[in-house]
Amino acid sequence: MITGYANNSRGVGIRSLQLILPSVVCSTHLSKKVAEEVGAITFSHQHGCGIIGPDVAGVNEFFVALAGHPNVQSTLVLGLGCETIQGNELTDSIAVKFPQTRYVVIQESAGMAGALELSVAAARQLHVKSPQAPLDHLVIGVEGNPEARFLDGFGDLVTKAGHSLVIANDFKEPSRNFAKLVREKAHVIASFPDGNQPPTGLPLIPVVTIANAQSLLHQALIDDFDCVSGTSPEQLLEKLFVVANGEASKAERNKIGNIVVPRMVRSV
Amino acid sequence: MSISTPSLLTGFLRKNGKWGFRNYILILPLHNALNQLAEEVRVSHPAQTVITSVAHDWSGEIDSDWDRIHRVFSGFAVNPNVGATIVIGVGSAVEEEIVQAARAKREMPIAYLTLKDSGGFDNLRKLVAESVSEVFPLVTSIKRESAPWSAIVLGLECGGSDAYSGITANPALGVASDKFVELGGTSILAETMEILGAEHLLAARAKTPEVGQAIIDVVARYERSITYEGIDIRGAQPSRGNIEGGLTTLEEKSLGAAKKAGNAPFTGVLDYAYVPTEPGLYFMDTPGHDIEQLTGFAAADVNITVFTTGRGTPTGSAVIPTIKAATNTEMAIALPDLIDLNAGTIADGTETLAEVGERIFAEIVDVANGKLTAAERGGHREFNLSRLYGSTQ
């Protein structure tokens, strides 16, 4: 039995987060200040301007996917004003589905102090903690490459319990695989980092990390992992349920990791 | 102003003969999982203003951009505005290569602390904080001294351009740039996209035919690299913000942007994040993206930057003081805490180009001597690893 939050039309999530979404690198610093002030999540990134070709739609769609994730309760978009990704259009495309969305733009807010004040007020106004609700269908993201036999057993267990799995292992680096799991609306992630990668999370989705016993790096960092390899599928599922019910995973508690926006083409 | 004018500059003389105008302890994470840790150590230190740090997306992946990534991290670590650097990593051969390259570039305290050796995030956080404390007395004991004009390595940047850029702030910055070059300093124009259409004018000012050809070639290479992606750059630029600011074509934007480099002859052309080897005016091949350019400057030993803006932008560098010059008075008044200096007075008719040029020159000297910029007061430390993603440079 998982108790989550009814995050409006986004569905039931396992957290009820407010997302401060900078539409461009130029507003990431402000976003951080606002998020710290109101207890929201945000991330630093280098995108939103000087992008061309498929990245314009790609970055835009990824931002919309972040805002529409079921762990999100509301979104405050912060823009500069003159960037390629126009914050007002981004805000509109999010607000069509999720009315709990606002937009503040630095160039029309009398500067940074003004923008900070307006943003904090808008964020506070938007934030209503969503009511608790049962989550019958948990979407579990699996990042990386667990042993095939383990994955088979885990998959069976998850399906039998009425939940589902999404797998992302295109890259060796966990932070690059997370983008797919954001789009697939995974509530929680079980991450099996490559032996050369540290345990990593992201601010939007709680990540449970599983160490690889063969990795010297992972052995050295064993206290920063939630599970060691050798954990049974049952034990992992149990851990994911505990985290889904509100316990912070280690990556979540240590605030390890960032949201990495996928890019295809160089900046201009 | 003649060359014999005594310098009013002060700075921090480094062992490699370069001058810094700031004296930071830099915490440089080499994996995005360590961004937060770097920041936590920075903000927890009682002398926060001495310490700086950056955040980025890189998680150790090696691809066709490796040379560029390696050059940027190792160059950034040894920028002359930094007195000591604490590199933090996961603990890999790739990271060691970056650290070794940084140590080879400059003799300075460079610590390298890893997750692998420290046995976890908590212990690493403690070790990084201890390392800051250890190096702190050494770095803060370095005092400012009188610096020659050749100490200046000026980065020229524009962002959020408008129809005023090419007639106010950019040519006024050109006046200041010309003066520094004449006095034996270094000045770097960049943003290849923003000289597209004006490259022949710049090439005509090259000191040698080879340098002139290099300017033409770098623009041609850039245009090929974009068309390789199947994109017509002229359809994407000027940006929407530029158009709202009154710019009509990329060529118009370029003609205005090139004015930042005044009228001095070009000494050389630099690839992204390469360090100039002798004083003079250079062109560096960078994206127009403000932060990719600023990061490339930092890795190339630029120690001060003037950033002209028509629409207004708050960003700055973790290691380079970045002076914002407004192109129009309306914006300078509307966004006061983003702007250091208003060049809009030229269009208002209340000041001449030469007068504003003098004012920019004086502001650069003041900021070099320690006056904080708007971006520094605001705590801006934007950073970006510029990637090409397999396109042809």
Side-chain angles (χ1 to χ4, degrees), chain B residues 56 66 79 159 196 208 211 247 263 273 278 282 297 323 338 356-357 378:
Chain B
H56 56 79
W66 167 239
N79 181 281
L196 208 157
T208 66
V211 169
L247 286 171
N263 296 303
E278 56 178 305
Y282 289 82
F297 277 168
I323 299 164
L338 274 59
V356 176

Side-chain angles (χ1 to χ4, degrees), chain A residues 26 29 32 46 49 53 86 89 107 110-113 173 175 197-198 217 220-221 224 255 263-268, chain B residues 31-32 39 57 59 61 90 119-121 222 225 240 288-289 292 311-312 314 334-335 337 378-380 383-384 389:
Chain A
C26 312
H29 181 63
K32 193 148 193 139
Q46 299 82 33
C49 203
Q86 287 288 290
E89 290 168 15
Q107 284 168 347
M112 292 303 277
E173 301 79 17
S175 58
Q197 286 287 324
L217 174 68
L221 300 177
D224 293 319
K255 293 183 179 164
R263 282 283 298 272
M264 296 170 71
V265 184
R266 59 166 295 172
S267 302
V268 293
Chain B
H31 192 290
N32 64 26
E39 186 179 312
D57 278 355
S59 44
E61 61 270 23
V90 173
F121 284 79
Y222 175 83
S225 128
R240 293 169 59 163
H289 187 290
E292 293 189 26
R311 310 299 308 277
L335 304 173
D337 58 5
H380 285 274
F383 178 91
N384 187 5
Y389 303 106

Side-chain angles (χ1 to χ4, degrees), chain A residues 25-26 28-30 32-33 36 44-47 49-54 80-84 86 89 106-114 173 175-176 196-200 216-217 220-221 223-224 254-261 263-268, chain B residues 31-33 35-36 39-40 55-57 59-61 90 115-116 119-122 125 160 193 222 225-226 229 231 233 236-237 239-241 244 287-292 311-315 334-338 378-380 382-384 387-389 391 393:
Chain A
V25 54
C26 312
T28 52
H29 181 63
L30 174 66
K32 193 148 193 139
K33 282 188 176 175
E36 278 167 10
S44 62
H45 69 78
Q46 299 82 33
H47 315 287
C49 203
I51 51 177
I52 51 168
L80 175 61
C82 57
E83 59 268 29
T84 310
Q86 287 288 290
E89 290 168 15
I106 295 170
Q107 284 168 347
E108 290 164 22
S109 303
M112 292 303 277
E173 301 79 17
S175 58
R176 300 172 79 200
N196 296 316
Q197 286 287 324
T200 308
L216 291 175
L217 174 68
L221 300 177
D223 291 343
D224 293 319
N254 291 331
K255 293 183 179 164
I256 300 170
N258 201 15
I259 293 170
V260 175
V261 182
R263 282 283 298 272
M264 296 170 71
V265 184
R266 59 166 295 172
S267 302
V268 293
Chain B
H31 192 290
N32 64 26
N35 287 348
Q36 180 72 17
E39 186 179 312
E40 283 166 3
H56 56 79
D57 278 355
S59 44
E61 61 270 23
V90 173
L115 277 174
K116 198 175 194 169
F121 284 79
D122 284 343
R125 193 178 293 111
M193 180 189 72
Y222 175 83
S225 128
I226 301 297
E229 307 290 349
I231 295 153
I233 182 67
Q237 284 286 334
S239 72
R240 293 169 59 163
E244 281 166 20
H289 187 290
D290 298 341
I291 311 307
E292 293 189 26
R311 310 299 308 277
T313 172
T315 49
L335 304 173
D337 58 5
L338 274 59
H380 285 274
E382 286 79 4
F383 178 91
N384 187 5
R387 305 291 300 262
L388 297 174
Y389 303 106
S391 74
Q393 264 286 303

Side-chain angles (χ1 to χ4, degrees), chain B residues 226-383:
Chain B
I226 301 297
T227 48
Y228 163 88
E229 307 290 349
I231 295 153
D232 177 7
I233 182 67
R234 287 177 170 79
Q237 284 286 334
S239 72
R240 293 169 59 163
N242 296 146
I243 293 166
E244 281 166 20
L247 286 171
T248 56
T249 63
L250 181 56
E251 287 77 4
E252 183 188 5
K253 184 174 169 176
S254 294
L255 290 169
K259 296 273 187 196
K260 299 194 295 294
N263 296 303
F266 278 90
T267 296
V269 174
L270 303 165
D271 268 330
Y272 183 75
Y274 273 90
V275 179
T277 49
E278 56 178 305
L281 176 65
Y282 289 82
F283 180 77
M284 184 188 285
D285 182 20
T286 76
H289 187 290
D290 298 341
I291 311 307
E292 293 189 26
Q293 179 191 356
L294 209 42
T295 305
F297 277 168
D301 285 353
V302 168
N303 50 18
I304 194 158
T305 294
V306 178
F307 185 146
T308 67
T309 177
R311 310 299 308 277
T313 172
T315 49
S317 163
V319 298
I320 313 175
T322 306
I323 299 164
K324 295 281 165 46
T327 69
N328 66 87
T329 301
E330 192 188 344
M331 188 273 290
I333 291 170
L335 304 173
D337 58 5
L338 274 59
I339 299 303
D340 294 290
L341 185 149
N342 177 24
T345 48
I346 297 165
D348 300 339
T350 55
E351 264 185 309
T352 66
L353 198 59
E355 284 166 346
V356 176
E358 284 288 344
R359 206 145 55 76
I360 294 177
F361 185 94
E363 183 76 8
I364 292 169
V365 173
D366 286 349
V367 168
N369 287 340
K371 179 183 174 183
L372 293 180
T373 64
E376 287 178 309
R377 287 195 301 271
H380 285 274
R381 293 183 181 82
E382 286 79 4
F383 178 91

